[in-house]
Amino acid sequence: MIAIRSAQASDLAAISALDRRLTGSDKPQYWQDMLGPDRHFLVAETETGTLAGFIAGEIRAWEFGQPAAGWVFAIQIEPALRLQGVGTRLFEALVARFKEKGVSRVRTLVERRDHLILSFFRAQGMVAGPSLQLDKDLS
């Protein structure tokens, strides 16, 4: 049984550890900032209270002329618990929060080569949106 709830400061060590293990990057301040009042930061925990995963997002309006949309910044699931619906439950809980705030669209950015996360978001019904990301190397 997985429970979904809002992330708390006491979750940050486990969130940072899971993220560091999966991405190789240590960014505790980034996760601390996700607890901000305008953010939607949820965790999934097992019956024993162990972190199963997390999702973070925010509602943004009028960026690049686009009406308000919910943005998913991050989602991570404990690898041993993948393919058990944890990510879907987190995504659905975040989308429900966005809907409660009057948002009717959800967006994210995905690394083209990250087939795991791309497949996950496609399974949630997400498709390529109307915008195109452009990058320039400034080094």
Side-chain angles (χ1 to χ4, degrees):
M1 178 87 166
I2 297 292
I4 308 293
R5 62 172 174 76
S6 294
Q8 303 169 357
S10 60
D11 298 315
L12 292 177
I15 288 167
S16 290
L18 176 61
D19 180 60
R20 183 176 49 252
R21 190 161 34 95
L22 298 179
T23 67
S25 298
D26 191 22
K27 43 190 179 284
Q29 187 60 52
Y30 177 81
W31 299 119
Q32 176 72 40
D33 292 346
M34 286 295 150
L35 291 173
D38 295 331
R39 302 282 169 83
H40 299 271
F41 195 8
L42 305 174
V43 297
E45 64 182 8
T46 66
E47 292 175 341
T48 62
T50 303
L51 181 71
F54 63 86
I55 192 167
E58 176 180 79
I59 295 172
R60 294 181 177 174
W62 304 119
E63 289 183 310
F64 307 103
Q66 298 291 318
W71 280 86
V72 178
F73 296 150
I75 183 168
Q76 294 285 8
I77 307 300
E78 174 62 42
L81 299 173
R82 289 181 180 165
L83 301 176
Q84 297 180 33
V86 176
T88 296
R89 291 203 44 212
L90 282 165
F91 182 80
E92 290 173 350
L94 184 63
V95 166
R97 287 187 175 212
F98 291 157
K99 286 181 178 177
E100 288 172 7
K101 299 290 184 181
V103 170
S104 60
R105 184 154 301 277
V106 63
R107 295 190 168 113
T108 193
L109 292 174
V110 177
E111 177 69 38
R112 291 178 195 264
R113 294 171 290 184
D114 190 340
H115 299 286
L116 178 66
I117 195 67
L118 190 56
S119 295
F120 170 77
F121 282 121
R122 284 184 173 154
Q124 305 308 313
M126 296 185 76
V127 297
S131 301
L132 176 64
Q133 176 188 348
L134 301 175
D135 282 343
K136 179 179 180 180
D137 184 356
L138 300 178
S139 57

